[in-house]
């Protein structure tokens, strides 16, 4: 017979083996993923001890003191929502239907005939709207999606993870730091018939380079000739120029010319609702019956993905869009943000002139929206970081919202030092 001590040791050994098996890793083959470039940049910035450090990488609006800004119109709308003492019930798969109608009217205009052939669903901001559109395309038009080169970094993984092939068309001219309109038209003319083309209607991310209205007319004709499906990613309506109608011009042009389109809208930037994930996905179809059928399939995609969208942020947005006074106040808030960014562009160019820089920096003021392609190369960007603690992405893109009256001259001096 086993002694008590041996039984105890055997029991402990058995338990230890079993615990070891239970704790055996299922995920030992999983590699550490690389940091998101913007997240990694912010981490480096946070560790920097230089009191003059400047973060020009964050894609969110900041006020003249470099702080987040809650729009006064948003504060007023949120107060109304709070005092209404609303319930917390599900909104349904398509979300808040009143908001959906208001959102697409904001994009197309209140009296646009295209509204009759449109379906709109609430989405998890612009990113969520893009992912739902990607899944829809994969199921019903699984052809390549063409992105401008360059495009927002998240576009490629969004469509790629949905199983779509992602390709690129010419857009940006590195030599002029502007639009390569002739190259763009030529590239579009060679895209296979029936493919999807993604377009930034305003405040192109990351370059800040937008076509003129005349150039948009050329782009529309080229896309129509190739029978491509246009997908507009509208993340900055009003935020780009300060004019909601002007920023929606390309979308309205395509609808006027009879195109069927997909449109994603984000209210993160233009309402400052970053963390509340308010957005919409619309399909402008051939006729109302087709719109109903498309919506039925979009609902099937949404249901197993996130089931239903959240209610709080959309109630704030809806309150602003439907109340004439709040809407006017919001338009003024949007213009305040746009004007501050435009003002910082001019201040940066003025600062470069003051320090005697002889290069042509006019592209900084001709670009539009939150982001600016400075034209700095990767070596210059790294020198800005190492010598001045100024952080931007390696391609020389800066968030103009990160500039303030207090730091713009410092940034101008640094750019001058690395580019002279």
């Amino acid at each position: 017979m086993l002694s008590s001590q041996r039984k105890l040791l055997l029991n402990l050994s058995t338990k230890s083996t079993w615990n070891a098996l239970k704790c055996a890793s299922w995920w030992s083959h999983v590699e550490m993923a690389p940091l998101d470039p913007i997240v990694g940049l912010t981490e480096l910035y946070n560790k920097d001890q230089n009191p003059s450090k400047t973060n020009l990488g964050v894609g969110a609006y900041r006020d003249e003191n470099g702080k987040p800004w809650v729009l006064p119109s948003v504060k007023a709308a949120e107060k109304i929502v709070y005092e209404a003492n609303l319930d917390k019930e599900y909104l349904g798969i398509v979300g808040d239907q009143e908001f959906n109608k208001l959102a697409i009217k904001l994009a197309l205009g209140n009296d646009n005939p295209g509204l009759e052939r449109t379906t709109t669903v609430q989405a998890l901001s612009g990113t969520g709207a893009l992912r739902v559109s990607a899944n829809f395309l994969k199921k019903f038009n699984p052809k390549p999606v063409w992105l401008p080169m360059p495009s927002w970094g998240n576009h490629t993984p969004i469509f790629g993870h949905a199983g779509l092939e992602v390709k690129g068309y010419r857009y940006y001219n590195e030599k002029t730091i502007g639009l390569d309109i002739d190259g763009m038209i030529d590239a579009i003319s060679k895209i296979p018939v029936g493919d999807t083309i993604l377009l930034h209607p305003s405040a192109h991310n990351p370059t800040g380079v937008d076509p003129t209205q005349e150039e948009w007319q050329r782009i529309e004709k080229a896309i129509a000739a190739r029978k491509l499906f246009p997908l507009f990613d509208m993340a900055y309506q009003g935020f780009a120029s300060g004019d909601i109608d002007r920023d929606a011009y390309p979308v309205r042009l395509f609808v006027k010319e009879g195109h069927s389109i997909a449109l994603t809208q984000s209210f993160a930037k233009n309402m400052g609702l970053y963390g509340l994930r308010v957005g919409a996905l619309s399909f402008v179809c051939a006729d109302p019956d087709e719109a109903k059928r498309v919506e039925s399939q979009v609902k099937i995609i949404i249901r197993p993905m996130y089931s239903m969208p959240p209610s709080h942020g959309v109630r704030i947005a809806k309150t602003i869009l439907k109340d004439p006074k709040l809407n006017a106040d919001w338009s003024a808030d949007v213009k305040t943000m746009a004007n501050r960014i435009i003002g910082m562009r001019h201040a940066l160019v003025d600062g470069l002139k003051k320090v005697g820089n002889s290069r042509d920096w006019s592209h900084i003021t001709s670009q539009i929206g939150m982001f600016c392609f400075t034209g700095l190369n990767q070596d210059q960007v790294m020198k800005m970081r190492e010598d001045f603690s100024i952080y931007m992405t390696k391609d020389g893109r800066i968030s103009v919202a990160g500039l303030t009256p207090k730091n713009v001259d410092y940034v101008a001096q640094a750019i001058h030092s690395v580019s002279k």
Side-chain angles (χ1 to χ4, degrees):
M1 293 181 66
L2 293 170
S3 67
S4 299
Q5 187 176 13
R6 290 183 65 192
K7 285 181 180 180
L8 177 62
L9 289 172
L10 182 60
N11 189 38
L12 288 172
S13 176
T14 303
K15 284 183 177 180
S16 177
T17 301
W18 175 241
N19 285 335
L21 288 171
K22 285 196 298 182
C23 294
S25 172
W26 286 90
W27 314 118
S28 58
H29 61 290
V30 175
E31 298 177 356
M32 180 64 72
L35 275 176
D36 178 273
I38 303 299
V39 173
L41 200 66
T42 301
E43 287 189 2
L44 289 171
Y45 168 81
N46 289 337
K47 293 176 182 176
D48 197 318
Q49 299 300 309
N50 186 343
S52 298
K53 66 181 181 179
T54 305
N55 189 353
L56 300 180
V58 178
Y61 181 77
R62 296 292 182 261
D63 66 15
E64 61 182 11
N65 296 309
K67 303 295 183 184
W69 189 51
V70 180
L71 279 59
S73 56
V74 168
K75 287 183 178 179
E78 190 164 33
K79 186 173 184 289
I80 292 170
V81 170
Y82 176 76
E83 291 176 349
N85 196 28
L86 301 171
D87 60 43
K88 308 299 181 188
E89 291 296 300
Y90 291 124
L91 292 177
I93 297 173
V94 300
D96 188 309
Q97 296 190 46
E98 186 178 12
F99 163 78
N100 295 340
K101 292 175 183 177
L102 291 164
I104 190 59
K105 285 183 177 180
L106 183 73
L108 299 187
N110 289 329
D111 302 318
N112 195 311
L115 292 169
E116 296 180 358
R117 55 188 177 100
T118 300
T119 178
T120 302
V121 299
Q122 184 185 335
L124 305 180
S125 201
T127 303
L130 285 163
R131 182 53 198 260
V132 173
S133 74
N135 281 35
F136 182 88
L137 289 170
K138 175 62 178 176
K139 189 172 183 180
F140 296 103
N141 188 38
K143 297 180 179 180
V145 175
W146 293 76
L147 307 178
M149 296 188 296
S151 194
W152 180 43
N154 222 12
H155 280 146
T156 296
I158 286 171
F159 293 102
H161 288 178
L164 291 164
E165 185 179 2
V166 179
K167 296 186 176 183
Y169 63 88
R170 287 199 299 282
Y171 185 86
Y172 177 70
N173 186 328
E174 290 186 359
K175 292 181 179 178
T176 65
I177 320 180
L179 182 68
D180 182 3
I181 183 61
D182 292 330
M184 181 182 181
I185 297 298
D186 179 65
I188 290 171
S189 72
K190 296 173 183 175
I191 296 176
V193 170
D195 284 7
T196 295
I197 183 167
L198 185 140
L199 301 159
H200 301 231
S202 60
H204 179 273
N205 182 359
T207 67
V209 174
D210 283 0
T212 64
Q213 291 190 359
E214 291 73 22
E215 288 168 338
W216 273 116
Q217 291 164 20
R218 290 181 62 190
I219 293 165
E220 182 277 321
K221 286 180 173 60
I223 288 173
R226 295 303 296 165
K227 296 181 173 61
L228 306 178
F229 180 67
L231 167 55
F232 286 96
D233 181 13
M234 187 155 67
Y236 299 94
Q237 187 181 1
F239 190 95
S241 67
D243 185 327
I244 288 166
D245 295 324
R246 176 182 167 184
D247 290 349
Y249 172 81
V251 177
R252 296 177 186 182
L253 171 67
F254 274 65
V255 173
K256 178 185 175 184
E257 295 300 326
H259 290 263
S260 290
I261 69 166
L263 168 69
T264 64
Q265 291 170 270
S266 168
F267 291 84
K269 305 296 192 302
N270 61 10
M271 285 191 180
L273 300 175
Y274 299 98
L276 296 184
R277 315 313 292 147
V278 180
L281 168 64
S282 298
F283 286 88
V284 182
C285 302
D287 53 58
D289 180 67
E290 182 178 276
K292 289 177 183 177
R293 287 184 279 113
V294 167
E295 182 178 300
S296 72
Q297 292 294 337
V298 170
K299 288 164 71 174
I300 287 175
I301 291 168
I302 290 172
R303 178 62 171 147
M305 186 183 289
Y306 57 85
S307 189
M308 299 175 197
S311 61
H312 183 66
V314 78
R315 285 170 172 167
I316 296 171
K318 177 178 71 172
T319 301
I320 290 171
L321 292 175
K322 73 178 183 178
D323 183 290
K325 183 181 183 307
L326 277 178
N327 197 303
D329 292 344
W330 169 62
S331 295
D333 291 341
V334 169
K335 197 167 187 63
T336 294
M337 292 189 289
N339 285 346
R340 195 189 90 72
I341 288 177
I342 292 168
M344 283 297 99
R345 288 180 178 275
H346 285 278
L348 181 58
V349 173
D350 289 344
L352 286 161
K353 290 177 181 177
K354 284 179 192 174
V355 295
N357 195 288
S358 59
R359 285 181 57 174
D360 179 9
W361 298 98
S362 60
H363 59 276
I364 293 177
T365 51
S366 64
Q367 294 171 14
I368 196 169
M370 181 176 290
F371 299 111
C372 169
F373 255 29
T374 59
L376 297 177
N377 60 41
Q378 187 168 326
D379 289 341
Q380 291 168 328
V381 168
M382 294 308 297
K383 195 167 180 59
M384 292 274 287
R385 185 187 304 179
E386 293 163 2
D387 295 354
F388 298 94
S389 297
I390 295 174
Y391 292 81
M392 64 183 75
T393 52
K394 292 180 180 179
D395 55 10
R397 187 204 79 169
I398 64 171
S399 172
V400 185
L403 294 173
T404 71
K406 296 177 182 177
N407 67 24
V408 67
D409 287 338
Y410 177 70
V411 173
Q413 180 63 60
I415 292 175
H416 173 62
S417 296
V418 303
S419 64
K420 61 183 178 181

